[in-house]
Amino acid sequence: MSGDETMPQYAILIYEKELPGGVADIPPEVMEANLAVGPKIEAMGARVVHEQGLQPVARARTIHQGGAVTDGPFLESKEVIAGFFVVEAADLDQAVAIGKLLPIMDGAVEVRPLMEV
């Protein structure tokens, strides 16, 4: 791919059990593995467009049809979206390979193509 072409973008959603102490409870080896992912993605010829951890679900609010607002996330489950990346990758296979770089403690990683705007 030449330097002028843009690659498709993919959301990589990280689902994990929420830890009582938040980021402070992430085992050091898991945090170290997370921090090592960026250079590996770059070495694959892909690019992180954005990455972000999320605050605890207790701080979330859900807006329902009709405007009612409730505390917490829309979906109730033992796993929560802990964070997400948006990456530019050659294709879905490469985006999945990037997702596999992330350490998974007790959840899963979802890779979803973004709509072009």
Side-chain angles (χ1 to χ4, degrees), residues 1-9 47 49 88-90 116-117:
M1 190 171 270
S2 77
D4 295 339
E5 297 176 44
T6 58
M7 294 190 290
Q9 294 186 345
R47 183 174 82 92
V49 176
E88 288 180 344
E116 292 184 30
V117 288

Side-chain angles (χ1 to χ4, degrees), residues 6-40:
T6 58
M7 294 190 290
Q9 294 186 345
Y10 300 88
I12 298 178
L13 307 170
I14 303 161
Y15 293 87
E16 288 285 1
K17 281 186 182 174
E18 193 165 43
L19 300 171
V23 173
D25 282 354
I26 296 175
E29 65 276 10
V30 173
M31 186 59 80
E32 189 173 308
N34 272 311
L35 295 174
V37 169
K40 292 177 182 175

Side-chain angles (χ1 to χ4, degrees), residues 23-111:
V23 173
D25 282 354
I26 296 175
E29 65 276 10
V30 173
M31 186 59 80
E32 189 173 308
N34 272 311
L35 295 174
V37 169
K40 292 177 182 175
I41 292 172
E42 190 173 310
M44 296 169 71
R47 183 174 82 92
V48 175
V49 176
H50 184 80
E51 62 182 309
Q52 194 74 54
L54 298 178
Q55 292 280 333
V57 294
R59 304 214 43 202
R61 300 295 180 267
T62 300
I63 303 164
H64 299 271
Q65 184 181 21
V69 178
T70 58
D71 292 345
F74 178 62
L75 297 176
E76 297 286 340
S77 72
K78 63 180 181 178
E79 288 87 15
V80 299
I81 300 176
F84 63 93
F85 291 82
V86 174
V87 298
E88 288 180 344
D91 54 30
L92 182 58
D93 290 337
Q94 186 181 44
V96 169
I98 291 168
K100 287 182 174 181
L101 295 174
L102 297 166
I104 299 171
M105 291 188 299
D106 200 16
V109 171
E110 177 181 334
V111 178

